[in-house]
Amino acid sequence: MGFRLLPMIVGAKQIHKRQSVLTRNHSDVPKGHFAVYVGETEKKRYVVPITYLNHPSFQKLLRKSEEEFGFHHPMGGLTIPCNEDDFFNITSRLS
């Protein structure tokens, strides 16, 4: 009987490893923040506070993103189609 449990334990450990790898990338976003991908050609990931969603200048970026991507974002997260300098200029005024 003990020999049949061994394959089940090994299988459970493998599933746990896969789940931790999948969730590791999502757990680095602190509470009250969200991840965005910014850039025209090469997209870089940034974590910003959710309070940015209330600002008209950030909402303008969101509308631009909606026009270009709709609800399908190729990076799997919110993609903002502007260059990094523009993104930094806008977000620096929001802080």
Side-chain angles (χ1 to χ4, degrees), residues 6-64:
L6 188 59
M8 290 172 50
I9 293 171
V10 171
K13 285 183 180 180
Q14 289 175 344
I15 290 171
H16 178 68
K17 283 183 186 179
R18 288 184 195 136
Q19 286 176 341
S20 65
V21 168
L22 291 173
T23 58
R24 184 180 330 145
N25 295 334
H26 302 290
S27 64
D28 62 346
V29 178
K31 186 175 183 177
H33 292 73
F34 64 101
V36 296
Y37 294 90
V38 179
E40 292 175 330
T41 55
E42 182 181 335
K43 308 284 191 237
K44 289 190 179 178
R45 184 174 186 259
Y46 296 95
V47 177
V48 297
I50 60 170
T51 57
Y52 284 9
L53 296 172
N54 294 327
H55 294 281
S57 53
F58 196 81
Q59 289 175 359
K60 188 175 179 180
L61 287 175
L62 293 175
R63 281 190 292 279
K64 186 177 177 183

